[in-house]
């Protein structure tokens, strides 16, 4: 995009097939040029958002106050105000990444915004809001985030069938990932029937990593003995096993038929890649998950660490996936109920986003009260 030189470590990841998307967005980052700098020097080619990110961006700063006051003065309620300011930021980020979007034929240059967390168990309401958000942002390079809950799966299919690109979020288990792939392929098939250009539809499947280790590590510690030695292995193994399923699904005859119509693969995306245990290398969930193709969404601290001292491992393959499955089997044999872990993490993931959403509404409501007072 310009003459600035990319960091050699992030450039190496990019050349290995890893698309780096920043797991953060704020108006300050855009107006200050910080986001543009990361695009120019750290190989950042996309942005993801969530309620926690928006809450952090808006709380305690004044840059949003004028817009919030204006929108409230127009009679908008707090939810409408939040929708307006967050979609404005996403639209601005989309414009910033438009050149990348065009130069990669829609592969990158993407910005994700999610449906309200309270809709995680409401299929029809999710479909309706996904289409609404897509229309409000009004940029082809926006991706609508829909959680991979049981209610979210048919919403993913229906949204794709409308020709809207989707970021499937909150995936924790390989079993649920297989359902996400099915939702994607079905959505593409319906989109083709509906007359949409499949080449314009993109999707990523966001597989959460560090949260898996956090929960499973606790259970391994409780079991003690040899089980405790396996701490820190589950998150990476779970994602590596998922990549094996990706290779199989997108090497299938079913996808080949869609590809012939212009369809794109649904790239695996490694989310929650900030290391939560200080005993582990701070680039663990980047260096261990190099794959072609994949997306890695990194918070700023992880991106800094990667740019400073990342040492990528061997690229993922069918063989590494098989080894990863054996790691998961050993963890299960040690006494960890993996199905229970993944169900818990999904519930907690939805709950955390709901809590952040409520905090965001409270923050904006307080700002409205202050401007009126």
């Amino acid at each position: 995009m310009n003459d600035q030189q990319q960091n050699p470590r992030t450039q190496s990841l990019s050349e290995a097939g890893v698309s780096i998307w920043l797991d953060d967005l704020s108006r300050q980052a855009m107006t200050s040029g910080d986001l543009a700098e990361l695009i120019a020097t750290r190989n950042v080619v996309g942005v993801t958002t969530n309620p926690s990110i928006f809450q952090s961006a808006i709380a305690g700063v004044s840059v949003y106050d004028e817009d919030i006051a204006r929108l409230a003065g127009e009679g908008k309620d707090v939810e409408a105000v939040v929708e307006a300011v967050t979609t404005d930021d996403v639209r601005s980020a989309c414009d910033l990444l438009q050149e990348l979007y065009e130069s990669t034929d829609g592969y990158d240059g993407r910005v994700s915004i999610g449906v309200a967390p309270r809709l995680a168990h409401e299929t029809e309401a999710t479909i309706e809001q996904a289409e609404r958000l897509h229309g409000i942002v009004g940029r082809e390079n926006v991706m609508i985030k829909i959680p991979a809950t049981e209610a979210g799966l048919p919403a993913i299919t229906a949204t794709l069938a409308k020709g809207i690109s989707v970021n499937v979020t909150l995936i924790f288990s390989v079993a649920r990932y297989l359902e996400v792939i099915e939702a994607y392929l079905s959505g593409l098939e319906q989109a083709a029937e509906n007359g949409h250009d499949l080449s314009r539809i993109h999707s990523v499947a966001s597989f959460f990593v560090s949260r898996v280790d956090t929960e499973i590590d606790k259970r391994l510690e409780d079991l003690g003995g040899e089980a405790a030695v396996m701490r820190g292995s589950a998150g990476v193994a779970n994602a590596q096993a998922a990549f094996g399923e990706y290779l199989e699904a997108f090497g299938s005859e079913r996808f080949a038929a869609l590809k012939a119509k212009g369809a794109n693969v649904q790239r695996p995306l490694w989310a929650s890649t900030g290391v939560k245990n200080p005993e582990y290398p701070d680039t663990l969930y980047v260096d261990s998950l190099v794959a072609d193709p994949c997306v890695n969404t990194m918070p700023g601290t992880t991106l800094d660490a990667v740019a400073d001292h990342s040492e990528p491992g061997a690229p993922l393959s069918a063989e590494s996936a098989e080894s990863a499955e054996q790691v998961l089997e050993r963890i299960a044999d040690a006494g960890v109920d993996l199905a229970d872990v993944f169900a818990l993490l999904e519930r907690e993931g939805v709950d955390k986003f709901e809590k952040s959403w409520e905090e965001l509404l409270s923050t904006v409501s307080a700002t409205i009260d202050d401007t009126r007072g």
Side-chain angles (χ1 to χ4, degrees), residues 175-223:
R176 181 53 55 88
Y177 177 49
L178 289 171
E179 294 179 296
V180 168
I181 293 173
E182 172 61 33
Y184 177 63
L185 296 177
S186 295
L188 289 182
E189 289 162 349
Q190 292 179 30
E193 292 174 3
N194 294 338
H196 292 291
D197 180 355
L198 298 191
S199 70
R200 310 309 298 171
I201 303 172
H202 286 259
S203 182
V204 293
S206 300
F207 214 86
F208 281 54
V209 186
S210 67
R211 294 188 194 181
V212 172
D213 269 340
T214 299
E215 180 59 32
I216 290 181
D217 280 1
K218 288 191 297 186
R219 301 191 184 204
L220 290 171
E221 287 174 1
D222 289 342
L223 289 167

Side-chain angles (χ1 to χ4, degrees), residues 63-92:
V63 67
Y64 293 90
D65 289 359
E66 184 177 338
D67 279 353
I68 290 173
R70 174 181 55 80
L71 292 163
E74 294 172 359
K76 295 184 184 297
D77 63 22
V78 64
E79 294 222 7
V81 172
V82 167
E83 181 181 78
V85 296
T86 56
T87 53
D88 280 350
D89 279 4
V90 168
R91 187 181 307 109
S92 295

